[in-house]
Amino acid sequence: MPIPEDVTGEEIDKDVRQELQSLPKGLAEDVAKNLVMVARLIDEEPESAYAYSKVALRLASRVAAVREAGGFAAYANQKYSEALAEFRAARRMTGGVDLWPVMADCERGLGRPEKALEMARAPEVRKLDKAGQVEMRLVAAGARRDMGQLEAAIVTLQSPELASNSVQPWTPRLRYAYADALLAAGREDEAREWFAKSAEADKDGGTDASDRLAELDGVEFVDAFDESEAEVEAEVDTEVEADDDVESHDAPEQAVEVTEDDEDDEDADGDKGEYKD
């Protein structure tokens, strides 16, 4: 896989760079560059990110950070079985619990929501930081919805973090998930309130809460690009109509000329006729 010239490998986190120190210098640089590409492309071009992760895994499969990156790249491409295997490998290497929520979500992706709920009740959850616990709550609520338990999903999301007025990195997604669950349960007024709260907290546009809110309010957006295309088409139609008008004005003149020629011919024929007589 080609690596852009502006990628040096130094862009990776300090902790990851430290992990790579166990590798020969040249190999560590190559792995680092591929990990940078994974991080750079995973949101917009997940398939390309996945390809770079496979290169990194081929070069350094015994490095936990590489296994973790491979897991997230597979996860982004909905390759849940592969992602789960990579996350488990990374967890065995580090002994940490940070990946527990995303591992549970992989179980959901594999059609095993009951397993995800089992993981949500496991002792590992208590070892997660606040962000990890909120993420685990989101996964558990999703599992409840997978099982058709809408009210249980709503209750699962009701928490001090949801009620708090302080805005944390997880706040927009938590409020959004709550609003979406309320809407699925037919509680539209409450859903609108929480979509509005999610949009208010979502300064980076990580969710489409504003669009969902507008949809509930009956607001329709017109794509500016489509509008420009419509204007161009209208101009073309006007030009075509103008050309048609010009042609229609030209046609009678041609008819007149033909008529005059015909009259001349008739006069000539008349003269000949009189001569014969």
Side-chain angles (χ1 to χ4, degrees):
M1 296 289 293
I3 303 290
E5 293 183 1
D6 65 317
V7 174
T8 64
E10 295 296 321
E11 300 89 342
I12 60 175
D13 293 339
K14 181 177 66 175
D15 292 342
V16 177
R17 189 159 54 246
Q18 190 171 6
E19 279 193 63
L20 296 179
Q21 288 180 355
S22 62
L23 303 174
K25 184 177 179 181
L27 179 60
E29 290 179 356
D30 289 341
V31 173
K33 289 178 181 180
N34 279 281
L35 292 181
V36 170
M37 294 305 297
V38 173
R40 178 180 289 188
L41 298 171
I42 196 165
D43 291 328
E44 301 298 330
E45 301 178 41
E47 292 183 0
S48 296
Y50 178 74
Y52 281 104
S53 76
K54 299 301 284 186
V55 175
L57 282 166
R58 188 170 64 248
L59 295 174
S61 62
R62 295 185 179 182
V63 176
V66 173
R67 302 302 290 266
E68 184 175 330
F72 278 111
Y75 179 82
N77 284 275
Q78 299 182 359
K79 299 178 182 292
Y80 298 117
S81 181
E82 183 177 339
L84 186 57
E86 296 298 343
F87 290 142
R88 284 173 174 167
R91 183 168 179 268
R92 284 195 300 271
M93 293 175 180
T94 64
V97 296
D98 293 349
L99 296 172
W100 196 254
V102 71
M103 289 169 62
D105 206 39
C106 285
E107 296 288 359
R108 282 187 61 213
L110 292 169
R112 301 194 291 252
E114 297 88 353
K115 178 62 177 177
L117 289 176
E118 181 183 328
M119 293 179 68
R121 294 189 291 266
E124 284 81 356
V125 176
R126 291 194 294 271
K127 300 177 184 178
L128 294 168
D129 60 13
K130 182 62 68 177
Q133 290 179 1
V134 171
E135 194 66 34
M136 194 70 245
R137 191 177 292 277
L138 288 167
V139 173
R144 291 291 186 188
R145 291 190 62 173
D146 293 343
M147 299 166 68
Q149 301 173 3
L150 281 175
E151 290 301 327
I154 291 170
V155 172
T156 299
L157 293 167
Q158 292 171 345
S159 61
E161 293 81 17
L162 179 68
S164 176
N165 289 324
S166 74
V167 176
Q168 302 295 333
W170 61 76
T171 301
R173 291 179 59 236
L174 182 59
R175 293 177 178 179
Y176 184 95
Y178 189 59
D180 194 47
L182 288 168
L183 186 61
R187 296 158 62 175
E188 187 171 314
D189 291 340
E190 294 174 84
R192 189 201 176 284
E193 176 188 352
W194 283 97
F195 276 128
K197 289 182 177 181
S198 176
E200 181 182 2
D202 190 8
K203 304 302 183 184
D204 299 327
T207 72
D208 64 346
S210 296
D211 293 341
R212 298 292 298 277
L213 182 61
E215 184 180 339
L216 286 173
D217 289 341
V219 177
E220 294 184 4
F221 294 99
V222 177
D223 194 315
F225 182 74
D226 292 341
E227 190 172 298
S228 299
E229 284 187 337
E231 290 175 358
V232 171
E233 290 179 359
E235 290 177 2
V236 171
D237 290 341
T238 302
E239 291 175 359
V240 170
E241 290 176 1
D243 291 341
D244 290 343
D245 288 341
V246 171
E247 290 177 1
S248 63
H249 287 305
D250 289 344
E253 293 178 3
Q254 292 175 354
V256 170
E257 291 174 4
V258 171
T259 302
E260 290 174 354
D261 290 342
D262 290 343
E263 288 177 355
D264 291 342
D265 291 341
E266 288 176 359
D267 290 342
D269 288 343
D271 291 342
K272 290 177 182 178
E274 291 174 359
Y275 179 80
K276 286 179 182 179
D277 290 340

